[in-house]
């Protein structure tokens, strides 16, 4: 039933409106969505069997929630999506600073207005989009910011003494009454500020400059925290943690397929990039595999995490690198190449925290090693495994390719080659095409050249061929020629 045309408290009572707490709203609307088979947390991937069921149980239990996980694990997004579980509109006493429920007023303003006007008390309607407040916990956050303080200007304007509670200026939490209130990075909040939250969570009391007000606030608290913060910057004080009903552990995507879905959804691309630049599916898989390699790298601080944002920004850089080459060559369209992956190095170096050994190697070199590690990991899933020790007089799948390179000058691939010259350069090595036809016969025609270059990179990483930088491009040769070049 649509109640939003109601304008007075009397009309609201006559219409039979039943007030609910915010936790009851969330619970009832969640139950309804589940029964109707609706997706509750739209756009969150990889949590279907882990985080989301735990979050749903917490909502059904009417708990305050702490989402604990490393950076880039969609903690804030989950909190924001909870707004969709609120009723579309709720009634508030018109003019109330803290969204007073006319059936259960808690502020002095609302209590006095209802006493004075009774059923004629004016009612306003608050949309669910306005019932979300968020605060990033930083060391400079004060009790006044969150809870409130005495306002001397208000006291002067209203000619009130500081003994009158009408001089109080309410902070963010009272103003988020009947709303979802999120505190991000909770351990960064000073311990004394966390202590100020105790009674709000449990008893509904707030204390402001000597005023002890009984304000049973109706707030759904959602906290987010990074496990790294517990040792580096602060911690959640034990009594506050005790008052948080459910602590839910988030995690990174567990498969490349899920990671690809997230990147495709989140990457903000220009329409021209989508239309003019073709991205082979293998390029997307390599891009996501880089994050998996980073999370297992000895050079990267795994406790700090590798955010899903790294893949998103790397994908944007990948397309921008291909686009730049296309524009310089005056072409109308192009396909992502392996040389374009060098353009994602800045997106990697800015997103990972290196340990001491990584600092010694250098951020850019570590980034290149991650790219090569992703190629090496995926190579063995598409083509026959390359044995470290090969027996004499036995044939191996890569013999023809190696022989072709030993009988030729190799292949040179400058970064800025036109598409026609790029294809012509790779077409020289006919044995590569035969290998793809044998082991990846379902390859789409538009993916052949990217897969051909993938074979070249894979063979160099397994020491079957040599690869080195020549000017602004790469030269692929057999190992003997590479050896001669280095002596």
């Amino acid at each position: 039933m649509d109640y939003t045309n109601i304008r007075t408290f009397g009309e609201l009572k006559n219409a039979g409106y039943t007030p609910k707490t915010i936790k009851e709203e969330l619970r009832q609307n969640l139950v309804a969505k589940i029964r109707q088979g609706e997706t509750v947390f739209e756009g969150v991937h990889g949590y279907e069997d882990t985080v989301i069921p735990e979050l749903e149980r917490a909502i059904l239990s009417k708990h305050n929630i702490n989402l604990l996980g490393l950076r880039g694990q969609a903690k804030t997004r989950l909190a924001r999506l909870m707004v969709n579980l609120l009723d579309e509109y709720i009634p508030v006493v018109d003019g109330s600073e803290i969204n007073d429920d006319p059936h259960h007023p808690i502020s002095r303003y609302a209590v006095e207005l209802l006493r004075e006007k009774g059923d004629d008390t004016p009612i306003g309607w608050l949309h669910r989009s306005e019932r979300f407040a968020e605060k990033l916990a930083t060391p400079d956050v004060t009790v006044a910011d969150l809870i409130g303080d005495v306002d001397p200007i208000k006291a002067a304007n209203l000619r009130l003494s500081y003994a009158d509670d009408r001089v109080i200026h309410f902070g963010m939490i009272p103003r988020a009454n009947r709303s979802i209130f999120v505190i991000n990075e909770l351990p960064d909040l000073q311990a004394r500020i966390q202590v100020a939250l105790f009674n709000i969570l449990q008893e509904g009391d707030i204390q402001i400059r000597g005023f002890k007000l009984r304000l049973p606030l109706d707030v759904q608290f959602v906290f987010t925290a990074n496990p790294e913060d517990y040792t580096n910057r602060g911690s959640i004080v034990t009594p506050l943690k005790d008052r948080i009903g459910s602590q839910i552990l988030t995690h990174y995507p567990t498969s490349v397929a899920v990671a690809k879905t997230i990147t495709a959804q989140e990457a903000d691309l220009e329409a021209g990039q989508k239309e003019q630049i073709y991205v082979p599916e293998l390029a997307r898989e390599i891009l996501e595999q880089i994050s998996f390699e980073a999370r297992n790298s000895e050079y990267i601080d795994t406790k700090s995490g590798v955010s899903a944002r790294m893949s998103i920004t790397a994908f944007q850089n990948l397309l921008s690198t291909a686009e730049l080459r296309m524009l310089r060559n005056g072409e109308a369209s192009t396909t992502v190449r392996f040389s374009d992956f060098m353009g994602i190095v800045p997106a990697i170096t800015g997103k990972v925290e290196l340990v001491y050994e990584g600092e010694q190697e250098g951020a850019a070199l570590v980034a290149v090693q991650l790219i090569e590690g992703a190629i090496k990991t995926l190579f063995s899933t598409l083509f026959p495994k390359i044995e470290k020790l090969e027996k004499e007089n036995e044939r191996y799948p890569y013999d023809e390719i190696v022989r072709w390179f030993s009988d030729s000058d190799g292949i040179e691939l400058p970064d800025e080659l036109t598409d026609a010259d790029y294809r012509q350069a790779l077409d020289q090595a006919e044995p590569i095409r035969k290998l793809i036809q044998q082991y990846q016969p379902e390859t789409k025609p538009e993916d052949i050249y990217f897969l051909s270059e993938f074979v070249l990179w894979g063979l160099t990483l397994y020491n079957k061929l040599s690869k080195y930088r020549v000017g602004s491009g790469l030269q692929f040769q057999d190992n003997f020629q590479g050896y001669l070049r280095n002596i």
Side-chain angles (χ1 to χ4, degrees):
M1 179 177 177
D2 183 12
Y3 294 101
T4 53
N5 57 343
I6 292 172
R7 289 291 173 262
T8 67
F9 184 39
E11 293 175 11
L12 186 68
K13 288 192 294 185
N14 292 335
Y17 177 84
T18 305
K20 293 177 283 189
T21 67
I22 185 169
K23 289 182 170 68
E24 288 170 344
E25 273 183 66
L26 290 166
R27 175 185 162 82
Q28 290 178 15
N29 291 328
L30 174 61
V31 168
K33 281 182 176 289
I34 292 173
R35 282 180 173 161
Q36 292 164 14
E38 296 182 29
T39 301
V40 179
F41 294 94
E42 194 73 45
V44 178
H45 305 283
Y47 284 173
E48 293 83 358
D49 301 318
T50 53
V51 176
I52 289 176
E54 291 188 2
L55 186 54
E56 289 171 341
R57 284 192 287 270
I59 293 170
L60 292 174
S61 300
K62 299 195 281 191
H63 284 172
N64 291 312
I65 299 163
N66 181 30
L67 296 170
L68 181 64
L70 296 171
R71 56 185 174 170
Q73 292 186 350
K75 299 187 294 294
T76 305
R77 170 174 285 228
L78 286 170
R80 289 173 179 166
L81 288 173
M82 285 176 63
V83 171
N84 297 327
L85 292 174
L86 296 173
D87 291 345
E88 187 173 7
Y89 288 96
I90 58 166
V92 296
V93 175
D94 205 23
S96 167
E97 290 181 90
I98 60 173
N99 305 326
D100 277 285
D101 181 349
H103 289 90
H104 305 290
I106 59 175
S107 72
R108 177 167 174 169
Y109 165 82
V111 169
E112 291 183 349
L113 187 64
L114 279 157
R115 186 184 300 131
E116 176 190 343
K117 296 195 173 183
D119 286 353
D120 293 328
T121 302
I123 298 299
W125 292 90
L126 193 66
H127 191 260
R128 62 181 163 218
S129 61
E130 301 175 88
R131 298 174 63 196
F132 180 87
E134 187 175 355
K135 180 64 177 173
L136 176 63
T138 54
D140 62 337
V141 172
T142 64
V143 174
D145 294 332
L146 292 179
I147 298 175
D149 204 350
V150 170
D151 186 348
I153 296 175
K154 184 185 283 189
N157 288 341
L158 298 178
R159 298 172 184 253
L160 299 171
S161 76
Y162 287 155
D164 194 312
D165 62 10
R166 285 175 292 178
V167 303
I168 292 174
H169 174 79
F170 291 113
M172 292 185 70
I173 293 176
R175 290 175 181 273
N177 184 38
R178 304 172 74 199
S179 303
I180 297 170
F181 190 81
V182 178
I183 298 182
N184 283 313
E185 310 302 339
L186 181 61
D188 282 350
L189 205 62
Q190 293 182 51
R192 65 184 181 84
I193 312 298
Q194 294 185 39
V195 169
L197 299 175
F198 288 1
N199 275 13
I200 295 177
L201 266 70
Q202 197 71 37
E203 309 296 340
D205 292 334
I206 65 170
Q207 294 185 28
I208 301 174
R209 295 284 185 182
F211 291 102
K212 185 176 180 182
L213 304 177
R214 178 65 180 164
L215 281 182
L217 296 172
D218 180 23
V219 180
Q220 170 66 57
F221 282 98
V222 180
F223 304 101
T224 74
N226 187 325
E228 183 193 19
D229 297 339
Y230 284 102
T231 54
N232 285 7
R233 296 198 293 268
S235 63
I236 303 175
V237 296
T238 305
L240 178 58
K241 187 188 287 188
D242 185 54
R243 286 164 169 80
I244 299 172
S246 290
Q247 178 168 282
I248 298 169
L249 302 180
T250 58
H251 58 81
Y252 288 121
T254 55
S255 70
V256 168
V258 170
K260 276 169 33 182
T261 302
I262 294 170
T263 299
Q265 174 182 281
E266 299 300 319
D268 184 17
L269 304 175
E270 293 293 324
Q273 290 180 319
K274 295 178 183 177
E275 296 166 4
Q276 298 165 353
I277 302 169
Y278 174 72
V279 185
E281 202 60 31
L282 179 57
R284 296 177 188 270
E285 291 183 9
I286 292 170
L287 189 82
E288 300 302 339
Q289 185 63 36
I290 291 168
S291 294
F292 286 81
E293 298 292 325
R295 290 171 193 140
N296 294 314
S297 172
E298 62 181 336
Y299 297 125
I300 292 172
D301 184 1
T302 54
K303 291 185 293 184
S304 178
V306 178
S307 170
R309 298 184 190 96
M310 188 178 86
S311 296
I312 297 165
T313 54
F315 184 62
Q316 292 167 330
N317 267 19
L318 183 68
L319 266 68
S320 295
T321 307
E323 182 181 31
L324 188 59
R325 184 189 68 250
M326 178 187 75
L327 294 172
R328 284 177 174 164
N329 289 338
E331 295 173 315
S333 62
T334 192
T335 299
V336 164
R337 303 176 193 167
F338 266 86
S339 59
D340 300 329
F341 274 86
M342 294 303 103
I344 75 173
V345 169
I348 297 173
T349 56
K351 290 287 191 297
V352 295
E353 297 290 334
L354 301 179
V355 296
Y356 176 76
E357 292 80 0
E359 297 286 357
Q360 294 295 103
E361 288 284 320
L365 185 57
V366 170
V368 172
Q369 289 178 0
L370 293 176
I371 295 169
E372 292 180 344
I375 295 168
K376 198 169 183 179
T377 298
L378 292 176
F379 187 84
S380 60
T381 67
L382 298 176
F383 295 101
K385 183 179 178 181
I386 297 177
E387 302 293 341
K388 289 185 178 180
L389 296 175
E390 295 182 347
K391 299 176 183 177
E392 280 191 58
N393 304 320
E394 282 200 24
R395 290 176 58 84
Y396 292 96
Y398 307 102
D399 287 349
E400 282 192 51
I401 299 175
V402 173
R403 193 177 305 115
W404 184 90
F405 273 89
S406 66
D407 294 338
S408 69
D409 294 330
I411 294 176
E412 187 173 340
L413 296 174
D415 294 342
E416 301 297 327
L417 270 181
T418 64
D419 280 359
D421 290 341
Y422 171 74
R423 290 192 291 267
Q424 185 178 356
L426 288 172
D427 281 338
Q428 298 175 71
E430 182 62 29
I432 295 178
R433 185 67 62 90
K434 289 181 180 177
L435 182 81
I436 293 172
Q437 289 171 348
Q438 182 178 355
Y439 293 101
Q440 295 297 325
E442 304 297 321
T443 302
K444 295 187 289 186
E446 56 268 34
D447 290 357
I448 288 290
Y449 292 98
F450 186 84
L451 192 56
S452 298
E453 200 175 356
F454 174 75
V455 171
L456 289 177
W457 277 70
L459 292 179
T460 63
L461 294 174
Y462 281 100
N463 299 315
K464 302 293 286 184
L465 297 175
S466 295
K467 169 177 65 71
Y468 43 87
R469 197 81 185 163
V470 179
S472 60
L474 289 175
Q475 177 85 39
F476 295 90
Q477 291 185 328
D478 77 304
N479 284 333
F480 180 69
Q481 290 171 312
Y483 171 75
L484 291 177
R485 175 179 286 271
N486 291 326
I487 61 173

